[in-house]
Amino acid sequence: GKAVAFHDLSQFQAIDIAVSEPSKFKTALLNLVGSQKRSIMGTTLVSKNILFESILCQPLFLEDLRALSASEGKKEAVLLSEAKEHLKGIAADFDGGWAGMLYNLFSWVWKRIYGEISCNEEAFQTIRNCMKDSSVIFVPNHKSHIDYLILSYLFYERDIQLPFIAAGKNLDFWPLSHLFRRAGAFYIKRTIKGNRLYAITLKSYLR
């Protein structure tokens, strides 16, 4: 690609390293590129098996699991197996290709049901900046299912990391569940009272 002069990078306030310190400059530049990438693509995605193993090996999860095993008199291996089944029912299975297909579909839909979608572009820039080094939680008023669909659509349109969406277990049916999981939806039971294993598994997934 086209070469960029070091002094042209002064527009990025995050880089404040003299060119005479190349190693520090390289580190600062890589950190900047990484934060920009996170705001667009999010964290690095891994396969479900790797994700599940990392969750089931979390020290805090294992601590809760041991406490549950002691209180309920069930073997930890049995609880681990049940927790993995819970994860299969919860986890999203994001695929950027599916997200692109849904964007094209909803572009067609919105044009036919809305005259215009008005947005606060400064707010989107604030969101983008926050996503560079932090996790951001969005809480729509949820007057309808349109809320999260519009939110994801607008993010995709602006090359901002798509949000993972908490969906009710009542929406976990074929083919909708497969389609939404690929677009970033994860499913939560409406009631988890009394189901301690499900609760600690969900907490570890969200963590």
Side-chain angles (χ1 to χ4, degrees):
K2 183 180 178 181
V4 178
F6 284 141
H7 61 76
D8 289 339
L9 294 172
S10 61
Q11 60 181 302
F12 298 110
Q13 298 178 0
I15 296 182
D16 189 22
I17 304 295
V19 178
S20 60
E21 301 177 89
S23 61
K24 291 183 179 180
F25 180 84
K26 178 182 177 182
T27 300
L29 182 59
L30 289 174
N31 288 338
L32 174 64
V33 171
S35 67
Q36 295 287 342
K37 181 180 178 181
R38 280 192 299 276
S39 71
I40 297 173
M41 302 180 67
T43 55
T44 302
L45 298 176
V46 297
S47 70
K48 272 192 173 182
N49 285 336
I50 294 176
L51 174 64
F52 290 175
E53 290 304 316
S54 67
I55 291 172
L56 298 176
C57 290
Q58 288 178 6
L60 292 176
F61 171 79
L62 291 176
E63 182 181 330
D64 289 338
L65 189 79
R66 293 188 190 102
L68 183 60
S69 175
S71 66
E72 296 191 354
K74 295 181 71 172
K75 293 182 178 180
E76 290 181 25
V78 173
L79 292 174
L80 272 174
S81 179
E82 292 177 2
K84 191 167 185 177
E85 290 303 310
H86 286 321
L87 282 174
K88 290 179 182 178
I90 294 170
D93 189 19
F94 183 78
D95 184 316
W98 278 91
M101 291 173 59
L102 285 175
Y103 172 79
N104 291 330
L105 170 64
F106 284 109
S107 291
W108 180 84
V109 171
W110 303 148
K111 288 177 183 177
R112 280 154 181 77
I113 63 176
Y114 297 124
E116 180 183 7
I117 300 176
S118 299
C119 303
N120 182 337
E121 295 299 336
E122 290 184 5
F124 279 108
Q125 187 56 48
T126 299
I127 291 169
R128 187 194 303 277
N129 291 336
C130 290
M131 283 183 165
K132 291 176 183 177
D133 53 15
S134 305
S135 296
V136 180
I137 298 176
F138 301 94
V139 187
N141 58 25
H142 198 32
K143 289 183 177 180
S144 75
H145 290 292
I146 296 295
D147 290 355
Y148 58 83
L149 296 176
I150 284 282
L151 189 65
S152 296
Y153 173 84
L154 295 175
F155 277 28
Y156 189 93
E157 195 170 51
R158 288 157 179 77
D159 290 326
I160 301 176
Q161 172 196 351
L162 296 186
F164 280 71
I165 300 166
K169 195 67 176 175
N170 58 303
L171 295 178
D172 188 11
F173 57 86
W174 193 90
L176 190 64
S177 61
H178 177 75
L179 182 65
F180 279 7
R181 281 185 198 275
R182 303 292 271 180
F186 62 94
Y187 290 88
I188 300 177
K189 291 182 178 180
R190 293 288 183 178
T191 302
I192 62 176
K193 184 178 180 180
N195 194 338
R196 292 175 59 193
L197 180 60
Y198 184 88
I200 65 174
T201 304
L202 176 61
K203 181 172 68 174
S204 296
Y205 177 78
L206 296 176
R207 188 185 293 129

